[in-house]
Amino acid sequence: MIYVKNCFSEVIFLNTQYICEMNGNFRTETDVFFSEKCSFRVGGKIGLCVFPSNEEELIYAVKKAEEYGEKYIVLGNMTNILPSDDTYDGTVIVTSEMQKMRFDGNFVFAEAGAPLTRLSLLSARQGLSGLEFAYGIPGSLGGAVYMNAGAYGGCMADVLTSVTAYDPKSGVVSDYTADECKFGYRNSRFRHSGEIILSARFELKRGNADEIISECEKNMSARREKQPLDKPSAGSTFRRPTGYYAGALIEASGFKGMRCGGAQVSEKHAGFIINAENASSADIAEIIERIKNKVYKDSGVMLEEEIIYIK
Ligand SMILES: Cc1cc2nc3c(=O)[nH]c(=O)nc-3n(C[C@H](O)[C@H](O)[C@H](O)COP(=O)(O)OP(=O)(O)OC[C@H]3O[C@@H](n4cnc5c(N)ncnc54)[C@H](O)[C@@H]3O)c2cc1C
């Protein structure tokens, strides 16, 4: 598919030949801002957004960026990132148009861009249990594998059987078993290897569809009750420190409801920083630093960000 939207003169920091190749092979967008795309609703202009529609196109997009020496990052639904206010002078390769899913008995295949909540719901409707925890997590499958996303006692590692990934350094596509993915708490091999997640397979358990759907809805209700879903955020800002809850430590240090510019520590759940009113990325970064310093002083616990900074 050829889709050319941009005017070259707008894109001054990328190689023109490179942009031509990308425009010729993918749907692309320029003149677009992270603040329009990411769940925090902050962040500067993006040099070029590219939307591959299948695994081969994703590999091709990465190969081309590497070949031209362009800066790039692969993102899914952008629900776990804090992009800088500055222009991102590179390519954001977005997997949101790679949403193929296949169900075969108890096995499920999905491409990296498949929305996690949709995957969970479609599995539930087929009477497949195991992804109830993921219902309401607003990310893509790729982002969820990368983060080993989890909630309500479950996580991706519990249900994944294998992940297919592309290594831009070697140019090799590999299938990794769940063990080889080296999952840990909000951690996986992909956070360190630089490999690009193309797709994944799950094994789920047979169950009663109505009961599975009802479990999904129960999880969603708990989210609505406890989380500030009416305001832009990236979910829990911090990782859970061993033996503590980040939200409780933040609240104990007196930060609940505290504002910094347009950013605020949620009144509803102190573990969430929200974009209360036209926050900048710098506002959010500043509130994070203040929290880390004070919580460390008060409790001796050094909080670590769960969100990922994009510069
Ligand atoms: C309201 C709200 C509630 C949330 N609740 C939860 C929760 O309960 N549990 C939880 O774990 N998280 C939660 N999150 C955080 C987030 O939704 C998850 O971490 C999700 O898995 C991120 O997926 P994404 O597609 O948005 O990733 P992105 O934010 O797009 O990317 C996150 C990271 O993954 C990398 N990445 C994405 N796709 C690929 C790929 N194909 N190959 C290689 N790297 C890739 C990116 O480079 C980036 O470093 C919540 C967020 C919000 C806003």
Side-chain angles (χ1 to χ4, degrees), residues 25 43 52 61 73 82 85-86 126 131 136 148-149 160 183 186 188 201 210 215 262 307:
N25 287 286
I73 185 166
L82 179 58
D85 294 317
D86 298 332
Q126 307 225 9
L131 279 170
N148 188 18
L160 277 166
F183 288 118
R186 300 296 171 268
S188 73
R201 277 147 295 277
D210 290 340
E215 188 64 24
I307 55 165

Side-chain angles (χ1 to χ4, degrees), residues 126-143:
Q126 307 225 9
L128 291 172
S129 171
L131 279 170
E132 295 88 324
F133 77 88
Y135 191 70
I137 298 181
S140 67
L141 172 62

Side-chain angles (χ1 to χ4, degrees), residues 106-153:
N106 290 7
F107 293 92
V108 183
F109 160 90
E111 285 184 334
L116 209 53
T117 289
R118 190 166 152 71
L119 193 58
S120 167
L121 185 61
L122 291 183
S123 303
R125 283 186 185 150
Q126 307 225 9
L128 291 172
S129 171
L131 279 170
E132 295 88 324
F133 77 88
Y135 191 70
I137 298 181
S140 67
L141 172 62
V145 170
Y146 181 93
M147 297 298 300
N148 188 18
Y152 305 112

